[in-house]
Amino acid sequence: MALWSATAGHVHAAPPPVRSVSGFPAHDAKRESTLFGKLRATDAAVIGKAKTRGSFATDGDRLRPVFATPPAEQLWFPEDPAAHLGNGLVRVRMEASASLDLSVLVRQRYSGDPPELLSGYGASLEGQSLRLHRWDRGMVLPLGPEAAIGSKTAPLEKRKTLELVLLMVGPQLVASVYDGDTLEHIATTTAHDTTYAFGCVGVRVGPKHDAKAAITAITAMDAAKHASTVHMPARGRRYGVMPPSDVTPFGNTRYAWIDADALRRLPKALRGAVTAKLATPEGERAVLFLDTVGYERLRRSEVAVLAVDSNIPWKVENEAFRAREGQPAQRRGRGFVLDDSYKDPALVEQLLRAYHERHPKLTELVELGRSHAGRPIWALRIGAAKSRDDVPAVLFNGGHHGSELLAIEYVLDAIDTLLAGHRHDPRVTAWLEQLDIWCVPLVNVDGNHMFVHESRFAIRKNAFDGDGDGHADPFEGVDLNRNYPFGWGGPGSSDAPMHKWYRGPAPGSEPETLAMMGLAERERFAAVLSFHTYGTDVYSSYVVETKRDLEPDVPKAIGIELATAGGVQPNDRSYAVRKGPYPVAGSDQDWYLHEHGTIAFVIEGSHHNPALDVRNEAIAATRPLWMALLDRVRGPWVGGHVRDAAGKPVAAEVHLAEIERFEGERWTTRARDGRFDRAVARPGSYRVVVTPEKGEPFERVVKVGARRTDVEIVVK
Ligand SMILES: [Zn+2]
C-alpha cells in the first residue's frame, strides 16, 4: 500500500480514546444478503417480493404494517432464497418507538398463503423488553430470560433507530439489540433449544405495534454457505507456521484512510476521530482512528473508505519527522541540529557520517554488522588519546528496542556534547584524551524502521520475517534484549515467536546481538550504558534474581552514583537503581558484566517518545548521568595491561581478590593489547590476581587512589 509514502502534511490531536464497545458484528457486505432495504448509505435499496399476512407498505425503503381495524397480527416472509437458513446471522434495523410489538422470525416454516400456523423461533421486541420465543404450529412459548431494552435513564423513545442482531449456532440462539445510530450495545438475551434447525427469516408485527415505526433493513448471512477455509501454508522456515498476513485487521481499533475532500460528508460523531491529514502521491488523505463500532459507522456512511488497517506507521502521526525526512543534516555550533525530530536508521546514519566528516580526527565511523534486512549498524568511535590501547573503552548504545526513540536521542546527545566540547570544555577534553568512547545510537535498525515507516505496533523486536513469507509482520522478530547468551532462556523471556519478549531460537542468534557482542569482544569495555525508555531506572547487573551479584556489589555502588548525578527528570522523578524490577533474562548488561567484567547499566529514560520540548528537557536532565560515568571510569579504577617481556599482549584472566564472583565469571585480557579494566567501589589496596593461559597464577598489590591506577604486568 503506497499511502505510507507521505511526505508532507499536518497532524491533528492525538488519537481519541477508544470507547469500550467491542464485539459488534460488523456488516459483511460480501456475505450478508439484503432481504429488504439497505444498511449502507451508498447502497441501493432492495424491495423484494414477499408473502404476507395482512397489508404492508414499502414506501421508499421503509417496511411498515398497514393495520386494518381492529389491528391484528401480520406476517411478512421474503421470497428470496437467501432468507432460508439454519446457522448464521440475521440483522434487522428499525425505527425506535415506545410501543414496539415486533418479532424477527428465524428458522420458520408456515402453512398456507397468506401464511399461518408458525413453527420456528423469533426475537421479540415488546414494549421495553427483548425476549426469544418458539412457535409450535401457532402456539407461542417464551424461551430464556427477558432483557430490558429501555430504562428510566435511557428510554426507548429517546432513541431514533435500533438494530437487532440474531446469531444462530446449532441449538444456541443469541439476540442482541443495539442503538442503530451509535451502535451502542443495549441488551442481549440467549436461549438453547433443539426443536427447529432450519427455516425462513420473516417479520411478525403484533396488534400493539406502532405502525409508524418502520423496518429499514433486513439482512441474512447463511453460515453454511459462507464458511471460509483459512489455509495455513506449510511455511515457517525458522519459527514455525503462522497465519497468513492478509486477514482482517486485528484488534479492536482501526485506522481508516479517506479522501480529505470527503471530510465534509463525515458523520458528525466521527469528526473527532481524524488523527492526521497528509499529502500522499495519490492526493490529500485523512486518517481516522476508530474502534470497531466507529469503523462500522464509517462504512455505513456516504464516505468511501480507501484503506483500512489496524496499524499505521508512527510517522503518519508525526509531522516533525515527515518534515525532517529527506533533508540534509543542519549544522549548529560544532555539531548538528538534533532536536527537530526523532530519527530512523537513515537519519541516524546521515548524522553519524556528518559528525565524522566534521571531526575526522576525533572520530571513526565503524559498521558493526548488518541486520536481517541488510541495514548497517553504525558505531561512531570518539577519542583523542595518543593510543587507544592505553585507555579504557566505554560504550553508549541505544535503540535495542525499535520504538524507543528517545533512547537514540540520549546517545546522539552524547556524541554532540563530546565533539562540541573537545578543547572547549576541560572536562570533555579530559574524557576524550583519557577514554575511548564508542557510541551506537541505534542497535535495532530493522525494528526501528518498521515502527517508523510501517507499523506503530512494531514495538520492541527486530522485525525479522520469522515465518519466511517475505514480509515482516509487526509482531514478528526477536527481542534483542532477551537474546544475549548470559541467562538466555530464563525468566522474563519467551520462546513463543509472536511474544513481545521472544528471546530468539538460540542465544545470540540475531545479527544485531552478534554485532554488539563482537564489538565487546574486540574492545572489552570498562563500562557500558544501554539506553531504553522508559521508567527513570538504572538497572544494575545482575537483574535476574537467581544470579548472585558480585561481593561487594560494585555495579550497584556505581549505579547509585550515576542515579544521584542524574538529578530530577522532567517527569519530576529521579533515577533509582533497581535489580530485577521484573526478571530480564538474556539482557545485554548482565552479559557485559558476566562475560567481560564490564560495569554495565540499562538506563530507562523518563519518557517514551515525548513531544520535542520534553525530549530536550529529558536529554538535558540525563546528560549528567552519562557524564558521571565518564568521570567514574577515570577513577577510582584499576586498569592496565598484561604483556610479555617483549611487550606482546598475554592472554590471561585478571581478577581482583577483594571482589568475589559466584557465577563462573572469567574475565580475560583484550587480545590486541593485553588490556584489562576492573572497577572498584572505592580507593584502597587491591590484589590483582593474574592467571595467564599458560602459566601459574600470581598476584600484584596495587594502591588505588581517586584517579585510575594502571598497572603494567609483565609475564616472564
Ligand atoms: Zn527497551
Side-chain angles (χ1 to χ4, degrees), residues 400-401 404 460 481 531-534 604:
H400 268 82
H401 294 142
E404 298 175 0
R460 311 168 59 84
N481 211 34
F531 288 95
H532 287 250
T533 70
Y534 68 105
E604 291 277 1

Side-chain angles (χ1 to χ4, degrees), residues 48-66:
K49 274 195 190 164
K51 282 202 173 143
T52 59
R53 176 179 195 86
S55 173
F56 285 86
T58 53
D59 37 329
D61 46 10
R62 298 171 72 247
L63 177 71
R64 57 184 186 81
V66 180

Side-chain angles (χ1 to χ4, degrees), residues 220-536:
M221 181 176 76
D222 186 341
K225 215 183 283 176
H226 296 293
S228 63
T229 310
V230 176
H231 296 280
M232 300 287 276
R235 58 194 177 204
R237 195 172 69 220
R238 201 166 160 197
Y239 299 151
V241 175
M242 293 179 198
S245 53
D246 184 23
V247 293
T248 309
F250 42 79
N252 197 31
T253 54
R254 300 282 181 273
Y255 288 94
W257 294 68
I258 63 171
D259 196 314
D261 288 341
L263 281 172
R264 289 176 285 112
R265 297 194 303 278
L266 196 65
K268 230 185 221 159
L270 300 182
R271 287 187 191 155
V274 178
T275 291
K277 278 206 276 181
L278 65 168
T280 74
E282 293 85 14
E284 186 84 9
R285 298 283 185 259
V287 183
L288 278 70
F289 181 64
L290 301 161
D291 61 8
T292 47
V293 164
Y295 177 58
E296 180 65 8
R297 293 178 68 184
L298 175 66
R299 288 177 68 222
R300 294 188 187 188
S301 76
E302 295 167 59
V303 175
V305 179
L306 303 176
V308 60
D309 204 345
S310 39
N311 65 66
I312 52 172
W314 169 82
K315 72 175 183 180
V316 166
E317 293 183 336
N318 196 282
E319 188 187 5
F321 177 84
R322 297 202 309 272
R324 175 69 183 80
E325 213 185 355
Q327 304 299 314
Q330 265 187 48
R331 289 186 174 215
R332 179 191 286 163
R334 279 180 292 279
F336 296 90
V337 174
L338 295 176
D339 60 1
D340 56 348
S341 100
Y342 290 108
K343 319 293 187 293
D344 69 347
L347 289 178
V348 168
E349 177 174 339
Q350 177 198 58
L351 281 164
L352 296 188
R353 286 187 185 284
Y355 279 109
H356 176 56
E357 276 165 29
R358 268 193 102 167
H359 303 277
K361 287 192 182 138
L362 290 177
T363 63
E364 186 188 350
L365 185 62
V366 181
E367 185 186 314
L368 302 180
R370 297 220 161 197
S371 66
H372 283 294
R375 290 192 180 86
I377 301 156
W378 291 107
L380 193 69
R381 189 178 71 78
I382 303 172
K386 283 192 192 77
S387 163
R388 66 192 186 101
D389 291 352
D390 295 335
V391 297
V394 176
L395 168 67
F396 297 149
N397 74 65
H400 268 82
H401 294 142
S403 71
E404 298 175 0
L405 305 180
L406 183 61
I408 302 167
E409 301 297 315
Y410 289 124
V411 182
L412 290 173
D413 175 64
I415 292 171
D416 199 80
T417 307
L418 294 173
L419 292 175
H422 182 58
R423 294 212 173 131
H424 295 269
D425 177 337
R427 198 175 166 208
V428 172
T429 309
W431 292 329
L432 263 60
E433 287 174 353
Q434 296 171 35
L435 300 170
D436 193 35
I437 304 167
W438 288 76
C439 296
V440 183
L442 179 52
V443 175
N444 184 359
V445 281
D446 289 353
N448 171 273
H449 180 88
M450 180 169 235
F451 173 73
V452 171
H453 295 278
E454 292 174 39
S455 168
R456 60 203 291 285
F457 285 112
I459 296 172
R460 311 168 59 84
K461 304 203 290 175
N462 69 344
F464 176 55
D465 173 21
D467 63 6
D469 68 351
H471 166 85
D473 298 305
F475 300 121
E476 283 190 275
V478 174
D479 182 340
L480 298 177
N481 211 34
R482 302 294 183 273
N483 190 238
Y484 285 85
F486 180 66
W488 184 88
S493 71
S494 170
D495 62 359
M498 299 301 259
H499 196 281
K500 65 176 177 175
W501 294 342
Y502 179 46
R503 62 175 83 109
S509 60
E510 301 310 294
E512 300 87 352
T513 320
L514 289 173
M516 297 306 286
M517 288 166 62
L519 178 66
E521 174 60 31
R522 294 192 296 279
E523 297 305 323
R524 302 301 174 88
F525 294 111
V528 171
L529 296 183
S530 296
F531 288 95
H532 287 250
T533 70
Y534 68 105
T536 330

Side-chain angles (χ1 to χ4, degrees), residues 9-24:
H10 51 278
V11 173
H12 289 252
V18 174
R19 282 166 291 127
S20 60
V21 185
S22 60
F24 180 81

